[in-house]
Amino acid sequence: MKAATSLTTKLNMTGMSPKMSGLIAGSLQNLVIPLAGIVFFLAFWSVAASNINTSLGKFPGPNAVWTQLNSLYVEHNEERTKEQAFYERQKKRNAERVAQDPDYVPKIRSYTGKETFLDQIVTSLLTVMSGFLLAAVIAIPLGIAIGLSKTLNTAFNPVIQIFKPVSPLAWLPLVTMVVSALYATPDPVIPKSFLNSMITVTLCCLWPMVINTSVGVASINSDLVNVSRVLRLPALKHIQKIVLPASIPMIFTGMRTSLGIAWMVLIAAEMLAQNPGLGKFVWDEFQNGSSDSLGRIMAAVVVIGAIGFFLDRSMLQIQKFVSWDKTSASR
Amino acid sequence: MSELLNISGVDMIFPTPKGDFTALTDINLKISKGEFVSLIGHSGCGKSTVLNIVAGLHQATIGGVILNGKEVSEPGPERAVVFQNHSLLPWLSAYENVELAVKQVFGKSKSKADTKDWIEHNLRLVHMDHAMHKRPDELSGGMKQRVGIARALAMQPEILLMDEPFGALDALTRSHMQDSLMEIQNELNNTVIMITHDVDEAVLLSDRIVMMTNGPAATIGEILEINLERPRDRISLASDVEYTKLRQAVLTFLYEKQRKVEPINSIKKSSDVVHNSKNEAA
Amino acid sequence: MKHVCSSLPLASGGSQEYVKHFLLSVMIIISAVIANNVNAEKLGYPEKEELKFGFIKLTDMAPIAIAYENGYFEDEGLYVTIEAQANWKVLLDGVIDGQLDGAHMLAGQPIAATMGFGTKAHIITPFSMDLNGNGITVSNEIWAQMKPNIPKMDDGRPVHPIKAGALKPVVEKYKDEGKPFNMGMVFPVSTHNYELRYWLAAGGIHPGYYAPHKGDISGQIDADALLSVTPPPQMPATLEAGTIYGYCVGEPWNQQAVFKGIGVPVITDYEIWKNNPEKVFGITAEFAEKYPNTTIRIVRALIRAAMWLDENDNANRPAAVKILSQSNYVGADYDVIANSMTGTFEYEKGDKREVPDFNVFFRYNATYPYYSDAIWYLTQMRRWGQISEDKSDDWYKDMAAKVYKPDIYAKAALSLIEEGLADAKDFPDFATEDGFKDPQTEFIDGITFDGTKPNDYIDMFPIGLKSGDKV
C-alpha cells in the first residue's frame, strides 16, 4: 500500500494529469496488494516448510513445488516422445504382419504408456465437466418442475432433503457396483472408471442445482407470473419467456456451488476409487513415498486449487454473459 | 352508452387457518363502454381484490363478472392490467416487453412490419419512443410505468385495469403521468377501471368514483358521478367550485363516514414491498 | 492338455509311487505332443491384442514392467496397459469382472478364489513371478524391546535369522498390560500372512485362527498377535501412525521403513523358507480358454523379462531398479528399491548384509508354476482354519492342478527355446517334470515339506490345526 502511494506521488511529480495517475494508482492497488499477499504467503510457506520434517524429508516449499512442476512437464514431454516411438513401432509391426498375413486388417491401438500429470489434469477436467453437464441436464428441468408445482415440491422435498447432505463418496461403492452390473460390454468405449467418477460428480451436483433452481422458480415475482397469465402464455412459452430468465441468477448460484463441490468431490473420488485423474495422481504419489512425492503432491494441490479457481471464474463469466442480472454475478 | 362490464353480487371469502375471512360482500357495479371508473377506499378495503376478480386473477366466491355478455373465468389480454410495480420483465428491453405482449395477442395476424409499427406506435403514445431499447433497470420509475401502460394498451384491451398505477411515483412524476393518461384517453377513449387512494387523481381522471367501505366484508359505499367537462386541466380545476365540491364529497366519505384508525405498523401495504430479485439472487 | 489336470485325482492318494509313475508317463506323452505341435505349427497370432494388467506397487511386479519397457509384450503383438491397483482385493475383483485381463497376484489369491474363500472365481496361473522378496519389519519401539533377547555376533550386530522367540516376551508384556499387539499383513490369503504366521508360530506366538464356517474371517481366534490387512504401500505410514507394531510386506516397503527411520526389518522370508515361491501372474480360466495364443504369448513375454532380470548375475538389476522407481511403477526412490533388488538387504540402519537371492526372478526355475507350491499354500490355509475341514491329499493335488498350469508355461517356454530366445537348460526338463519339487527342508523351524503328503505336513506343526481339528 505504502509502495503504491509513494509510486503515485512520484508519477504525479513527473507531470502526469491527476486523472491518469489516479487510474494508475487504482490498478496498482488492484495489482500490488494481491501480489504483496502472494509474496507474503510464499515467504511464510517457505519458512514454515523448512521447519517441518517428515519421514519423507522436509515439507516441500515453493521451490520444491516449482522444481516438481518443471520435472512433471519434462516427464510429459518425454512420454510424448515415447508415444511417437510407440506408434512408429506399431506401424512397422502392422506392415510386417500384413506382408505375412494379407487378410489382416491393421489397426492402430492407442498409446499404452502412463498418464502424465497433464493427462491426469485433462482427465479430471473432462470428468468434472461431463458429470456437471449431465447433472445440469437432469437438475434444471427437474428443479423447474418442482418450483412450478406445489404438489411435486411436496413430493420431492423429503427425498431431496435426505439425499442432499449425503457425501457423494458414500455413493461411490454403489455407483461402482451398478455401473459394473449394467455396463457389461466386453470393450467399453467409455471406460467404467470414467463413468464411476462422472456419475459420482453428477450425484453431488444434482442436489444444489435442483434446490436452487426450484427455489429460484418458486420465488419469481408474482406480478411477472400475473403478466404471463394475463397474456395467456402457454406453459412452455411461460417457462421459456418468464420462468427461465427469472430464475437464471439462482440457477447459476446453484451451478457454481455444484461445480465447486464437484471438483472437490472428484479429487476425493479419484483417490478412493483409483480412477484416473488428479486424485489418483496424489494417491499414487503418496503411496510411492519417494523423496519427490511430497513435492509432487504439493504441486498437485496448487494445480487443483488453481483449476478450482479457474472453474469458478469461468462459471462467473458464463453467468455474466447469460444472465440479465449483472449484479448477481459480482461475487 | 352500452353496458360493457357487469360485476354482480360478488362475495370474496378467503380461507385462512383461523377460519374464513370475508373480504368483499355483495359488490355490484355496471360499467359502460368508454367509461373511466376509479375505485377508492382505505387500504385493506379490497379494491385490489375487485380488480383482480375482474382481471380473472382471482375467482369470486359468490357472484361473478360478465364482460360483453361472457362470464370471466380466467385472465386474458382483453382485460389488460397495469400493475402497480410496472411488472416489466427485467431481462427484456422496453420494446421487447411490449413485443412479447403484441406477439402473444396478435400472433401471426400481424405482419412483421405491422408488429413493429404497432409496438413503436404504442411506445410513442406514452412518450417512450426515445428509450425503447433500454432495459427496465436503465429507466426511471415513471418511465417504467409508461412502458407498462404501453404494453397494456398494445393488447388493445376491451377494458384497461390499472392497480394504483402511479402509487409508487413521486408527486411531480405522478402529475405528468396523469396528464399523459388523460391525453391517451382523449385519443383512444378506453374503458378503464383504476384503483387509487389519491383523491385528486380520482376526481381529475374519472367519470365515476366508486367509494368502498372499510373491510372486512367491504362493499361499495357510494358512487360519485364526475360531470366535469373534458378535456380537464388541473390548474384551472384547482379553483373550480364543482371540482372542490366533488373533492369534498370524496374526502367526507373517506374521513368521516369511513374513518379508519390504522395501527402504525400496517400502513405500508404488503404489495408496496418492492420485490427485489437482485437481493434474492445475490 | 486339460486331461492332465482332470486325471490327477484319479490316482489314489494311498499309492504315492503309482501317482508319480502315472503323472510321469502322462507328462511325457503331453510334452511330446507339445513338442510336435510346436514343430508342426507356429504359435498363432494373439486373439486379443489390447490388454490391461494390474499390479500392486511392489518390486516383485518387475517382470511385468520389464516385459513392457523392453518391448517383450510388443514383440508378441500385445499392446499392454499397466495400471497400479489400490489393494489386493480391488486387483482381484478387477481380474474377476474383466476390467483387468491379468495381474500380479499373491500366490494364495488364485487358489483361494478358485476354492471360494472370499470371492469365488476360477483364476489360474501359468507363471510364477518370483521367489522370496518379503520381509518382516517391527517399529523402533518394539525393536528396542526385542533387541536384548537376540544373541549378538562378535562385532555387536545381532545374529540372523532372528526368531520370533525374541518377540514373544514383548507380545506377552503387551498382553499382560491388556494392549492388543497389532501387526499388519497385506491380505488374508497373502504369502505375507502365511509367512508372518509361520514365523510367529515358529517362535511360539499364536497368530490366530480363521473360522469361515462360522462367518469369522478376521483370523484372530485364540491369537496372541492380532493380524490385520493393510495395503502394501500404506504399511510404513500405518506403522508410523502407531496403528500396528510390525508388518510383513514385500519390497520396497521394508527398506522404506529403514530409510524413513521408522522401523527395523527383523527377518526376510528367505530366512523363513529359503527360495519360497512368491507372487504369481493370475488370469481367469475363461481368459485362457478364450484366448489361448494370447495367454501363451503373455507367458513368453514374462519369461523373457524374468530371464533379463536375472541375467549375468543380476547385471541388469540397476537398470531394472531405474525403471521400477518411475512413479507409474513402484515409484519409491532408486536407493530404496536398489537396496534389496541388487542383492543386499539393510536391517538396522547401517546393518547392510548380502542377500544375493533376496529377489529371484528366474533362476532355480522360479517362474515354473509347481503344483507343490500351490499345495504349500493350501496346507497353510488348512493350518490356520481358512479351510475349515480336513481334505484328502488328492483334494490338495486336484486343487493345485485346477489353478497352476505348467502346461501353458511349457508351451511358452518350448516355443521360446524353439526360436532360440531361451536355452532349454534354464528350464525344468519338461519331458520328466511332474510339477512337484523334492521335499524342502530349509524352513526356519526345520520342518520338512513334501508336497505329495500335505496332511502329514500339517500334522507336524506344534501350533496350528491338525487332521481332525475344527475351530
Side-chain angles (χ1 to χ4, degrees):
Chain A
M1 188 60 212
K2 216 172 181 181
T5 19
S6 67
L7 245 172
T8 44
T9 3
K10 246 188 209 160
L11 288 168
N12 256 339
M13 294 200 327
T14 55
M16 214 172 277
S17 77
K19 196 182 167 190
M20 262 304 256
S21 61
L23 261 173
I24 287 171
S27 63
L28 276 178
Q29 269 203 9
N30 287 340
L31 259 172
V32 169
I33 296 176
L35 262 177
I38 289 171
V39 167
F40 173 78
F41 170 73
L42 288 178
F44 173 78
W45 176 14
S46 24
V47 170
S50 62
N51 284 314
I52 303 173
N53 281 304
T54 74
S55 58
L56 277 180
K58 280 203 188 322
F59 192 83
N63 260 333
V65 168
W66 181 244
T67 316
Q68 286 312 321
L69 279 173
N70 274 325
S71 92
L72 286 168
Y73 183 67
V74 169
E75 259 178 39
H76 174 77
N77 286 335
E78 280 169 1
E79 203 62 27
R80 290 292 89 94
T81 319
K82 279 173 86 176
E83 186 175 355
Q84 211 73 46
F86 170 87
Y87 283 118
E88 266 157 39
R89 284 200 306 276
Q90 196 178 161
K91 247 194 242 161
K92 225 174 105 198
R93 196 167 301 110
N94 277 341
E96 275 169 21
R97 177 147 176 200
V98 170
Q100 284 179 8
D101 177 11
D103 295 340
Y104 180 67
V105 184
K107 184 182 161 198
I108 295 293
R109 297 146 197 94
S110 45
Y111 184 52
T112 57
K114 71 162 176 179
E115 285 205 311
T116 64
F117 185 58
L118 279 164
D119 296 337
Q120 309 269 39
I121 293 176
V122 172
T123 309
S124 284
L125 275 174
L126 268 179
T127 316
V128 84
M129 287 323 293
S130 22
F132 175 74
L133 288 179
L134 178 65
V137 166
I138 300 168
I140 293 174
L142 185 66
I144 289 175
I146 291 174
L148 286 177
S149 154
K150 265 226 159 76
T151 320
L152 274 182
N153 188 16
T154 323
F156 273 96
N157 199 37
V159 179
I160 292 173
Q161 295 304 333
I162 285 174
F163 283 137
K164 190 185 67 168
V166 176
S167 162
L169 293 178
W171 287 105
L172 190 62
L174 299 173
V175 170
T176 310
M177 296 317 288
V178 171
V179 167
S180 293
L182 298 184
Y183 189 62
T185 43
D187 276 310
V189 188
I190 306 167
K192 278 182 188 173
S193 57
F194 177 83
L195 273 186
N196 291 340
S197 310
M198 190 191 87
I199 293 172
T200 308
V201 166
T202 303
L203 279 172
C204 93
C205 288
L206 217 49
W207 315 117
M209 278 203 244
V210 170
I211 291 168
N212 275 285
T213 307
S214 64
V215 169
V217 169
S219 62
I220 295 177
N221 187 337
S222 62
D223 283 352
L224 297 189
V225 177
N226 284 340
V227 167
S228 170
R229 289 177 66 193
V230 167
L231 286 174
R232 291 209 187 119
L233 289 181
L236 269 181
K237 208 157 187 188
H238 171 63
I239 290 170
Q240 181 205 345
K241 294 281 180 189
I242 313 276
V243 173
L244 257 181
S247 38
I248 266 202
M250 277 297 270
I251 292 177
F252 264 90
T253 307
M255 283 166 91
R256 275 176 65 202
T257 315
S258 288
L259 193 58
I261 302 171
W263 183 241
M264 284 196 262
V265 163
L266 175 68
I267 303 296
E270 286 168 351
M271 283 176 85
L272 198 67
Q274 297 287 291
N275 292 338
L278 280 169
K280 183 172 161 63
F281 175 86
V282 168
W283 192 246
D284 279 353
E285 283 302 335
F286 171 58
Q287 297 217 319
N288 285 348
S290 86
S291 47
D292 292 340
S293 289
L294 289 182
R296 290 185 165 211
I297 292 172
M298 199 61 208
V301 165
V302 171
V303 168
I304 290 167
I307 291 176
F309 175 73
F310 161 79
L311 286 176
D312 191 58
R313 289 290 117 171
S314 312
M315 279 305 289
L316 208 62
Q317 287 307 318
I318 297 173
Q319 178 173 6
K320 275 188 180 158
F321 183 73
V322 170
S323 176
W324 49 274
D325 189 358
K326 305 300 171 199
T327 51
S328 71
S330 58
R331 193 161 47 106
Chain B
M1 271 195 259
S2 60
E3 177 192 301
L4 176 75
L5 184 86
N6 187 354
I7 306 171
S8 68
V10 164
D11 277 30
M12 189 71 193
I13 299 163
F14 292 107
T16 72
K18 289 180 210 153
D20 287 354
F21 171 78
T22 308
L24 299 174
T25 183
D26 198 30
I27 306 276
N28 289 290
L29 184 66
K30 288 179 183 163
I31 295 173
S32 308
K33 198 166 162 51
E35 208 180 354
F36 194 118
V37 174
S38 289
L39 280 179
I40 199 163
H42 290 287
S43 32
C45 73
K47 312 180 291 269
S48 288
T49 312
V50 175
L51 194 86
N52 282 337
I53 291 170
V54 176
L57 293 166
H58 283 162
Q59 286 296 313
T61 317
I62 304 172
V65 176
I66 292 167
L67 176 72
N68 258 342
K70 265 189 265 170
E71 181 157 8
V72 165
S73 58
E74 56 165 348
E78 75 280 1
R79 280 161 283 125
V81 183
V82 176
F83 297 92
Q84 182 178 8
N85 290 304
H86 67 81
S87 297
L88 298 179
L89 306 181
W91 50 90
L92 298 181
S93 68
Y95 181 90
E96 289 164 331
N97 263 289
V98 180
E99 186 187 32
L100 179 69
V102 171
K103 282 196 166 166
Q104 184 58 29
V105 173
F106 299 102
K108 287 188 178 121
S109 67
K110 267 194 196 326
S111 73
K112 250 187 180 174
D114 285 352
T115 305
K116 186 166 180 280
D117 285 349
W118 179 241
I119 296 164
E120 286 174 0
H121 166 77
N122 280 287
L123 283 164
R124 211 174 301 124
L125 212 58
V126 297
H127 305 299
M128 281 304 295
D129 44 333
H130 63 288
M132 60 186 176
H133 295 297
K134 286 194 170 161
R135 290 219 185 149
D137 56 0
E138 299 166 303
L139 300 175
S140 71
M143 289 159 101
K144 280 187 261 204
Q145 204 52 276
R146 283 171 190 270
V147 178
I149 293 169
R151 177 172 63 186
L153 292 175
M155 297 179 206
Q156 272 191 327
E158 294 184 50
I159 186 163
L160 187 61
L161 307 174
M162 305 176 92
D163 187 357
E164 289 185 40
F166 312 133
L169 305 178
D170 63 86
L172 208 62
T173 313
R174 197 185 308 167
S175 329
H176 280 301
M177 295 295 292
Q178 287 160 356
D179 292 343
S180 287
L181 188 57
M182 281 194 288
E183 187 189 312
I184 292 163
Q185 265 310 95
N186 256 346
E187 201 170 315
L188 302 178
N189 200 26
N190 273 314
T191 315
V192 180
I193 300 178
M194 181 177 80
I195 290 174
T196 181
H197 41 249
D198 180 331
V199 177
D200 288 308
E201 182 172 281
V203 178
L204 182 66
L205 297 177
S206 312
D207 297 319
R208 269 197 293 166
I209 298 177
V210 174
M211 291 177 277
M212 293 187 62
T213 64
N214 286 336
T219 187
I220 293 172
E222 286 174 32
I223 297 181
L224 190 65
E225 298 275 344
I226 311 287
N227 288 320
L228 294 170
E229 218 171 291
R230 290 185 189 267
R232 296 172 186 167
D233 173 55
R234 71 171 70 241
I235 296 166
S236 54
L237 282 178
S239 54
D240 189 294
V241 182
E242 179 67 12
Y243 177 84
T244 318
K245 239 163 73 184
L246 292 166
R247 201 173 168 274
Q248 191 68 41
V250 179
L251 286 172
T252 310
F253 178 85
L254 289 177
Y255 297 106
E256 282 177 16
K257 298 180 191 165
Q258 291 293 326
R259 188 184 157 84
K260 189 178 182 190
V261 185
E262 291 193 59
I264 290 164
N265 284 340
S266 69
I267 288 174
K268 204 174 167 76
K269 271 177 58 184
S270 67
S271 62
D272 287 341
V273 179
V274 178
H275 281 273
N276 193 340
S277 55
K278 290 167 197 176
N279 290 344
E280 283 161 15
Chain C
M1 213 45 225
K2 274 204 132 180
H3 63 275
V4 177
C5 329
S6 50
S7 50
L8 261 168
L10 285 177
S12 98
S15 164
Q16 185 56 41
E17 267 317 292
Y18 175 75
V19 177
K20 277 231 162 185
H21 185 79
F22 178 82
L23 271 172
L24 223 136
S25 48
V26 172
M27 274 306 207
I28 291 169
I29 298 162
I30 297 308
S31 306
V33 172
I34 297 163
N36 278 338
N37 277 349
V38 171
N39 289 336
E41 54 179 303
K42 255 188 83 196
L43 178 59
Y45 290 113
E47 301 86 352
K48 187 173 183 191
E49 297 170 327
E50 283 161 272
L51 303 169
K52 194 171 182 188
F53 294 159
F55 72 96
I56 296 291
K57 287 179 177 283
L58 291 164
T59 53
D60 50 24
M61 63 75 65
I64 299 176
I66 298 303
Y68 179 88
E69 293 290 332
N70 286 7
Y72 300 146
F73 284 133
E74 286 188 29
D75 286 349
E76 303 294 329
L78 302 174
Y79 298 91
V80 177
T81 309
I82 301 170
E83 203 180 84
Q85 304 295 307
N87 57 55
W88 292 109
K89 174 155 173 40
V90 168
L91 174 139
L92 181 65
D93 290 345
V95 172
I96 292 171
D97 75 13
Q99 286 198 46
L100 298 172
D101 294 295
H104 158 236
M105 281 187 189
L106 296 160
Q109 278 187 307
I111 301 170
T114 303
M115 211 166 70
F117 181 76
T119 321
K120 185 165 172 60
H122 192 180
I123 307 282
I124 62 161
T125 175
F127 181 84
S128 250
M129 288 185 64
D130 65 321
L131 304 180
N132 314 320
N134 299 332
I136 295 172
T137 294
V138 296
S139 69
N140 292 335
E141 180 197 349
I142 301 297
W143 174 245
Q145 298 174 65
M146 266 177 87
K147 217 173 165 182
N149 313 329
I150 303 164
K152 306 228 167 8
M153 300 192 294
D154 294 341
D155 60 4
R157 294 189 299 165
V159 176
H160 278 268
I162 296 169
K163 298 202 172 177
L167 179 65
K168 201 177 179 195
V170 183
V171 174
E172 271 165 4
K173 187 181 136 226
Y174 275 75
K175 230 177 142 183
D176 291 345
E177 289 168 7
K179 283 193 271 182
F181 194 86
N182 294 319
M183 294 186 89
M185 46 82 182
V186 305
F187 201 62
V189 298
S190 68
T191 324
H192 317 83
N193 187 17
Y194 304 126
E195 284 171 356
L196 183 55
R197 283 165 178 272
Y198 202 102
W199 181 68
L200 290 171
I205 302 168
H206 200 304
Y209 292 128
Y210 293 84
H213 55 291
K214 292 179 186 166
D216 186 332
I217 49 164
S218 65
Q220 298 181 345
I221 301 168
D222 298 341
D224 296 326
L226 304 171
L227 274 46
S228 58
V229 170
T230 305
Q234 277 149 261
M235 284 295 187
T238 315
L239 185 77
E240 199 177 357
T243 316
I244 50 177
Y245 299 122
Y247 56 72
C248 179
V249 74
E251 274 313 300
W253 309 118
N254 294 293
Q255 294 301 296
Q256 182 78 284
V258 182
F259 273 76
K260 290 169 94 175
I262 56 168
V264 177
V266 286
I267 191 166
T268 65
D269 59 344
Y270 180 79
E271 296 157 312
I272 298 173
W273 175 17
K274 186 175 162 183
N275 290 339
N276 66 89
E278 233 286 320
K279 302 293 181 317
V280 297
F281 186 79
I283 54 177
T284 60
E286 191 195 347
F287 181 93
E289 204 171 299
K290 222 165 137 188
Y291 313 116
N293 292 340
T294 306
T295 306
I296 293 172
R297 286 182 178 277
I298 294 168
V299 176
R300 276 166 53 101
L302 292 174
I303 291 175
R304 288 178 68 195
M307 283 163 56
W308 183 86
L309 277 162
D310 277 9
E311 225 164 57
N312 305 326
D313 271 337
N314 298 351
N316 294 327
R317 291 291 178 89
V321 174
K322 197 149 188 290
I323 289 169
L324 290 180
S325 65
Q326 287 175 22
S327 62
N328 53 325
Y329 295 124
V330 180
D333 283 347
Y334 179 93
D335 292 341
V336 177
I337 301 176
N339 232 22
S340 67
M341 276 282 279
T342 53
T344 57
F345 193 85
E346 191 168 4
Y347 293 91
E348 256 179 304
K349 207 151 212 157
D351 183 1
K352 205 168 181 174
R353 305 191 189 192
E354 295 287 321
V355 192
D357 282 345
F358 181 75
N359 278 116
V360 174
F361 290 103
F362 187 68
R363 53 183 178 267
Y364 317 132
N365 295 331
T367 53
Y368 186 83
Y370 284 99
Y371 295 133
S372 52
D373 292 348
I375 290 170
W376 186 80
Y377 284 102
L378 285 164
T379 61
Q380 299 306 303
M381 290 178 188
R382 173 68 189 117
R383 180 183 180 189
W384 302 119
Q386 290 175 335
I387 298 170
S388 49
E389 282 169 336
D390 279 346
K391 303 283 182 188
S392 68
D393 283 358
D394 278 348
W395 181 90
Y396 283 95
K397 290 167 197 168
D398 187 23
M399 192 51 74
K402 231 174 141 180
V403 177
Y404 276 53
K405 299 293 175 191
D407 50 330
I408 298 174
Y409 181 93
K411 277 187 193 172
L414 286 169
S415 72
L416 285 173
I417 296 164
E418 177 84 3
E419 289 171 30
L421 290 168
D423 193 337
K425 73 171 172 25
D426 293 334
F427 293 94
D429 183 356
F430 293 116
T432 57
E433 179 59 56
D434 63 357
F436 285 84
K437 283 181 185 166
D438 290 335
Q440 293 161 80
T441 54
E442 289 166 296
F443 285 85
I444 195 165
D445 54 1
I447 294 173
T448 301
F449 169 61
D450 181 350
T452 60
K453 296 172 188 157
N455 278 306
D456 293 354
Y457 180 60
I458 293 165
D459 290 342
M460 284 188 260
F461 295 113
I463 296 182
L465 299 178
K466 292 172 200 46
S467 301
D469 289 354
K470 193 169 179 181
V471 180

